Amino acid sequence: MRGDGDGWARCAAGHRHWGLHGAAGLLLRDHQHAVDRVVLQHRAWWSHQGGTWGIPGGARDSDETAVAAALRESAEEANLQPAAVRPYGELVDDHGGWSYTTVLGGPVAPVDPEPTGGESEDVRWVDVGEVHALPLHPGFAAAWPRLHDAPPPLRIVVDAANVVGARGRGDGWWRDRAGAGARLLDALVPLQQDGLAPADLPPGVDAGTLDRLLPRVVVVVEGAARAVLDGGGRWPLELVAAPGSGDDTLVEVAANGGGDQVVVVTADRGLRARLDGVGAQWVGPSWLLRLVDGA
């Protein structure tokens, strides 16, 4: 079914743009395993700016986030399945009354892009060093320098036991660690879904050229709090159960960052010293609680 976003709109400067509620697209970038490449779309000749290269994307519906629209359009046009993509940042081109949001994502499963839906002449992986040599869509060409220099994804690793203790809230967390852990997970979901503006980032993390970072939130639980894993499907977060020492697991998770910017949320001084040893950043629970609780 067609959504309610198809149609032409005019920005404050009087220019026409496709998408009544704005538009969004996905730049899928793979810079693991000694490669650095992006998925680009060769636009069909009959489309707007046909014959140029850019990213799969299109009009946003009125009830869609930029991420949802970018994932939907890239699945329709380039066979990029949402389950294989981890969105991690947004770059907004605001024209006043109309905007285009480029969603940056990385593959979390094998991806085989191909033209689908009739709007693409070709869709393929392109080495980052070869992008400038293609006849680029003007909007993508203008954004490419900022996209090229975007920082790596942000991973926030939460020391659940430490943060729950700092959170307190008078809810009897010391009697019901699993219940308090579940309440913390509920509070963390919007952080991953809505992302962080540059002003809200933890100290030492730079948004670089991006307007918003979409962090991957990893929560390490230990002891009685591991019972939250029984309802793990309830939260779109990554939950890790510490088999023994929570500190050992936190250090292991932080050390295996896969090229991400990794920040561990903890007030444990001994753990912080160990994190320094593996090159991971850390921040106190007050930073996190200010975001999720307004504390």
Side-chain angles (χ1 to χ4, degrees):
M1 293 180 62
R2 306 297 294 182
D4 63 0
D6 287 353
W8 293 99
R10 289 193 180 273
C11 68
H15 302 140
R16 288 206 318 162
H17 303 276
W18 181 252
L20 297 175
H21 311 290
L26 173 69
L27 179 64
L28 186 66
R29 185 169 186 174
D30 179 9
H31 43 65
Q32 298 183 5
H33 312 300
V35 302
D36 192 0
R37 57 184 186 168
V38 294
V39 171
L40 294 185
Q41 172 197 46
H42 192 193
R43 300 169 65 86
W45 64 268
W46 54 263
S47 65
H48 184 54
Q49 300 289 351
T52 60
W53 288 80
I55 58 175
R60 290 173 60 176
D61 292 336
S62 60
D63 61 347
E64 279 187 315
T65 64
V67 170
L71 293 177
R72 174 181 55 77
E73 288 283 342
S74 59
E76 293 174 358
E77 298 178 0
N79 194 35
L80 301 179
Q81 299 307 309
V85 178
R86 172 195 167 193
Y88 65 85
E90 295 180 353
L91 178 67
V92 181
D93 183 14
D94 191 346
H95 291 249
W98 186 91
S99 64
Y100 187 97
T101 301
T102 300
V103 176
L104 287 86
V108 294
V111 172
D112 186 17
E114 61 178 350
T116 51
E119 297 183 43
S120 309
E121 294 288 339
D122 189 15
V123 178
R124 58 183 172 89
W125 288 106
V126 176
D127 288 344
V128 164
E130 299 175 0
V131 171
H132 70 282
L134 296 172
L136 301 179
H137 183 282
F140 178 66
W144 174 240
R146 293 178 63 191
L147 295 167
H148 178 277
D149 295 336
L154 172 62
R155 185 181 308 190
I156 297 174
V157 182
V158 180
D159 180 354
N162 193 271
V163 173
V164 163
R167 194 180 192 207
R169 298 174 63 85
D171 61 1
W173 62 269
W174 58 91
R175 293 192 301 268
D176 182 10
R177 298 299 176 102
R183 289 187 287 275
L184 175 63
L185 296 177
D186 289 339
L188 292 175
V189 170
L191 176 66
Q192 178 162 283
Q193 292 179 336
D194 300 337
L196 294 168
D200 292 327
L201 292 172
V205 175
D206 186 3
T209 58
L210 300 183
D211 297 296
R212 199 163 196 85
L213 297 187
L214 306 173
R216 174 183 176 186
V217 179
V218 182
V219 184
V220 176
V221 294
E222 58 183 293
R226 287 182 295 182
V228 298
L229 270 71
D230 294 337
R234 167 180 162 189
W235 300 284
L237 308 168
E238 182 177 342
L239 306 182
V240 178
S245 167
D247 287 5
D248 290 346
T249 301
L250 285 156
V251 171
E252 181 181 356
V253 171
N256 295 306
D260 290 358
Q261 302 182 79
V262 179
V263 179
V264 180
V265 184
T266 185
D268 188 312
R269 292 185 179 181
L271 175 57
R272 288 178 173 184
R274 294 179 63 185
L275 293 170
D276 289 338
V278 297
Q281 300 183 68
W282 47 261
V283 67
S286 60
W287 167 79
L288 182 64
L289 298 179
R290 175 179 59 85
L291 292 176
V292 302
D293 294 335

